[in-house]
Structure formats: structure tokens, C-alpha cells
Amino acid sequence: MYQIGQVNQIQQQDYELPEPPNDSISALEFAPRSSSWNAICAGSWDNTVRIWEVQADRLVPKVMKSLEGIPFDLTWNDSGNKVYLSESSGQVSEWDLESNQLRRVGLHARAARTCHWVGPYLATTSWDKSIRFWDPRAAKELTRMELPDRSYAADVLNDVAVVACGDRSILVYTLRGGPVEQGRMKSPGETNTQVRSVALHQDIDLTSWLIAKTNGMVFDQSMVHRTACIPIRCHRRENSGILDVYAVNEVKVNMVTQHIATVGSDGVFCFWDSQMRSKLLESKVHPQPITKCAISGDGKLFAYALGYDWSKGHEYSDCSIKPHIFLRQFGRNVAA
């Protein structure tokens, strides 16, 4: 039995998805638990979006679609027969998997940074400094609210939405009878660090959110504890007396086990205990940064994508090194 306080570094076999994109992964999501099939969808900087079916004994490429812009984010509908995409062009698209047709359901003035299914509606945020809600059935904007700066990251859970902006603002909205802005605060940590990802999670009766930043840290923040945020030092390590700091590219919560997953520019993924904030598992160092990750709705599958994240600038970009997407299985015990 795994003991809290120890770090499990045992490596198990991870399974690679065949026929990956030609450029780094920009978005990665499993089909929801309510879906009629088990699948995973990935968007890429090569302006494509792809879906693989996860079968009991193999991973099967199913369909690929080319887009006008880069898919910065994606979300599934409840039945798993449609995927919604927020693109660098500002377009918000619906991909009907049954007809394999794309349809525009919304448009931002600048890049659409995030999208989330809030059935039967769609919530998107953008670099045009707005959060908008759409009815995809009618391709109609329902409501729009201004943000103080460009949206860098967002998440939705139940009736709560949280948005991280370029001026370090964190905005919280209640969606019940709304949307209505519930609170506004500053992102914790150094002022010269950016937010890469946010993830809402439920802790008993308290809804809080995890903020992943470029300084190798994740902060746990809530409306109750606005300033006394709990830091998790993730992708930072001492090397001959020098502290190496790597961006946390994404943070996710396993909604079944409540474990936290982080991935970073150091090419490492980690699992954390959400109560103790202690590290449960640390992967080996992969040959490329990990740009994105996803956790299946049943909490049994973890996906992560290797690719260049531009953290070292243009001079370290190598087009001959291709991206990869891997799956691993785990149960309630992350070491399984």
C-alpha cells in the first residue's frame, strides 16, 4: 500500500497513440463519461484536430479534420457526438462527428482561448477580453461579459467558472441564474510569472481552483482563502546549488480520486494528493516538454502529450522531432 510522504517513481508501460499530429499538441480531452464511446480528442498547432477510439486492446485512429486556425481548446458535448473548438482565428466551431462537418457557432474579435461545454450551452473566453456564452443549436450569442485583460486560461465545474487574465486577475462567476461575477482577485506568486492553466475542484463544501504558473508552482485558491493560497512546488529542482524552474504547462484534477496531475516543461508529469499536497508519483524525465494532459471521466486513464512548448525560444525548435501522445492506466491508487 502506498504511504503518504513517499514518491513512487516506478515506471509502467505507457501506450502511444498512433498517427499523431505533425506539431505540438494544443488541446487534449477525453470524451465525457456520459458518452456512448471511449475516445480522446487532440488539437494541434498544425491546424488539425484528431480523434482516437480507446478500445480494450488497442488505440484506433478514427477521424481527422483540418481547421482554418490553431485549436487552442476543445470540449465535448454530453453524448460524445460533437466536439467544440476555440481557434486562434477567433472562430468557435462545432464538429459534428456523425456527419464529419464543421459549423461556425460563434466568433470572437481575437483568438478564442478557451471553450467549455455547459450543456446545452457553450462558454468561451478570448484575447478580445471577453467571456461569452453561446447557444450552438442556433449559432447565437446569449450573453457577453467584459474581462480586464486577455484570457490566458479558464475552467468550468458544475455552476462555477473561473478565468485567469493577462493582468494577473482571477475572475470567478456563478452560472446559476447567471452568469454573475462572484469575485475578483489577483493571481498569487511573483508578478513576472504567467498563468498557464487553471482547474476547479471540489473540497467537501468548498469550491477552489488550482493555478499553474510559469514559475514551476501551482497555487490552490478559493473565495474563502483569497490571499492565503496554498503553494505546491511542482516542477522545480535543485541542481548543484542552483534552482532550476520549469513552467507548469497544465494542471488537471481526477474527479474520481481527487488526485492532482501536473505536467511541465521539464518533461515530467506528477500526481499529487489534494488533501496533503504531497507528491504521490513522479515520472521519468521525457525527451521533450509535456504540453498537455487529460484524465478520463471514470478516473482510470491519464493522457499526456510530448512536444516543444517554446519555453527555450526559437533556437531550440527542431522540426525533425515529432510530438507524441501517451496513455497510462491507473485506478484509485495512482501507482496501479
Side-chain angles (χ1 to χ4, degrees), residues 305-316:
L306 306 186
Y308 191 55
D309 63 357
W310 299 93
S311 59
K312 294 184 178 180
H314 181 269
E315 60 271 25
Y316 284 88

Side-chain angles (χ1 to χ4, degrees), residues 90-204:
Q91 183 162 292
V92 181
S93 302
E94 176 188 86
W95 184 17
D96 188 318
L97 302 180
E98 295 176 352
S99 65
N100 196 25
Q101 296 297 311
L102 282 173
R103 182 173 66 97
R104 192 175 85 178
V105 297
L107 183 66
H108 283 272
R110 298 187 64 187
R113 182 62 187 86
T114 70
C115 63
H116 290 86
W117 178 251
V118 192
Y121 307 119
L122 194 66
T124 62
T125 69
S126 169
W127 289 355
D128 67 7
K129 304 180 184 179
S130 73
I131 176 172
R132 307 191 195 195
F133 293 82
W134 314 85
D135 182 349
R137 298 164 297 186
K140 177 183 177 182
E141 180 181 310
L142 299 175
T143 187
R144 165 182 177 159
M145 302 179 73
E146 300 302 319
L147 299 172
D149 206 335
R150 294 178 298 169
S151 166
Y152 280 179
D155 195 21
V156 174
L157 178 63
N158 299 328
D159 295 321
V160 178
V162 61
V163 183
C165 297
D167 65 346
R168 297 183 58 240
S169 294
I170 304 291
L171 286 81
V172 184
Y173 299 90
T174 177
L175 305 183
R176 185 183 295 115
V180 176
E181 184 177 325
Q182 189 178 14
R184 185 178 300 205
M185 62 211 75
K186 287 296 183 181
S187 169
E190 297 95 329
T191 58
N192 62 344
T193 60
Q194 286 186 1
V195 174
R196 285 289 178 87
S197 174
V198 296
L200 281 156
H201 68 111
Q202 191 78 35
D203 185 4
I204 310 176

Side-chain angles (χ1 to χ4, degrees), residues 52-63:
W52 296 260
E53 185 174 6
V54 182
Q55 299 181 358
D57 58 346
R58 57 180 177 163
L59 304 167
V60 182
K62 298 299 289 186
V63 64

